[in-house]
Amino acid sequence: MQIFIDSANVKEIKEAVELGLCDGVTTNPSLIAKQGGDNKTIIPKICEACAGPVLAEVLSVDAEGIIREGRELAKIADNVVIKIPMGKEGLKAVAALSAEEIDTAVTLIFNASQAILAAKAGASFIAPFVGRLDDLSLDGLDMIREIVEIYTLYDFETEVIVASVRHPLHVKDSALAGADAVTVPYGIVEKLMNHPLTTAGIEKFLADAGRK
Ligand code: G3P
């Protein structure tokens, strides 16, 4: 399973790369705005830091605008993937850009039916949001299990990047469900690597060896 970093913070991304934990990066307009820049200023730096796919989200809402913006973003670097919100205009743009061999990712997926349409339109990736479904007392992981089952049944090549990941259990359950990737905020990477018994174990070994 691949681990993507859900961030537009270049420092965090570089840290994840150093840890060997950055198979790709997902950004969105909220994350880009948080860094005080825009796609044009921030995406090139991220593409330089991480060799994997870097998902850059369009702001246009009509198919023509999305296609135009997607073509421009694709020029930034070979590893840019155009991230497009689910919907009629988005799907039209995915079909057009994928016909030009520009990689796309459909975001804001909230059920398996939307995932089927995104794959049919030619998306290279989808980003189904688990945390926001859990917020509504729905089971985000159930959606992931359904999508993985359908994509496997029909040999869809679209990769599933689980998004809106809020805690370590989302990561483990996504792996068990067979998702291709999870995209995690850097804070969760730190939570994933820590365990109180690991810390206590290291302290005991050091104490026994007279190093503490
Ligand atoms: O990748 C999408 C993600 O950033 C959304 O997360 O926590 O705002 O639902 P969240």
Side-chain angles (χ1 to χ4, degrees):
M1 187 185 61
Q2 301 167 75
I3 295 186
F4 282 47
I5 303 300
D6 196 24
S7 173
N9 180 312
V10 179
K11 189 170 167 274
E12 283 179 355
I13 292 163
K14 284 183 176 165
E15 275 174 24
V17 170
E18 278 175 20
L19 288 165
L21 294 174
C22 189
D23 294 310
V25 176
T26 54
T27 68
N28 62 40
S30 312
L31 293 171
I32 294 280
K34 208 166 138 192
Q35 298 307 313
D38 58 20
N39 278 335
K40 275 191 191 139
T41 55
I42 295 177
I43 295 296
K45 293 181 195 153
I46 298 177
C47 290
E48 214 177 290
C50 173
V54 173
L55 277 58
E57 189 160 340
V58 295
L59 290 171
S60 305
V61 289
D62 61 300
E64 245 179 66
I66 297 171
I67 294 165
R68 208 176 317 116
E69 208 181 326
R71 286 180 186 141
E72 282 308 306
L73 287 170
K75 285 180 197 160
I76 293 177
D78 287 346
N79 53 337
V80 168
V81 174
I82 313 307
K83 197 171 178 213
I84 300 172
M86 179 66 199
K88 194 196 268 185
E89 296 300 304
L91 288 177
K92 276 188 215 168
V94 169
L97 290 170
S98 74
E100 295 176 24
E101 298 193 347
I102 292 176
D103 282 330
T104 58
V106 177
T107 189
L108 291 167
I109 296 270
F110 289 99
N111 63 38
S113 313
Q114 291 180 318
I116 293 170
L117 299 191
K120 294 291 296 175
S124 308
F125 304 92
I126 56 163
F129 280 35
V130 292
R132 292 190 195 182
L133 281 179
D134 291 358
D135 288 343
L136 300 177
S137 299
L138 295 164
D139 190 340
L141 257 300
D142 270 352
M143 165 184 63
I144 302 303
R145 286 185 272 272
E146 285 181 1
I147 294 171
V148 170
E149 188 176 342
I150 292 166
Y151 278 15
T152 305
L153 271 174
Y154 291 95
D155 289 329
F156 284 128
E157 285 176 9
T158 306
E159 290 188 40
V160 179
I161 306 174
V162 178
S164 185
V165 167
R166 304 274 178 77
H167 49 70
L169 264 185
H170 276 152
V171 175
K172 184 193 75 173
D173 289 340
S174 298
L176 285 171
D180 298 284
V182 284
T183 184
V184 292
Y186 189 69
I188 291 180
V189 173
E190 294 197 329
K191 281 188 184 165
L192 283 165
M193 69 180 93
N194 292 327
H195 193 290
L197 290 179
T198 306
T199 312
I202 292 170
E203 275 170 14
K204 183 173 185 326
F205 284 148
L206 289 176
D208 291 348
R211 297 288 290 271
K212 246 188 161 185

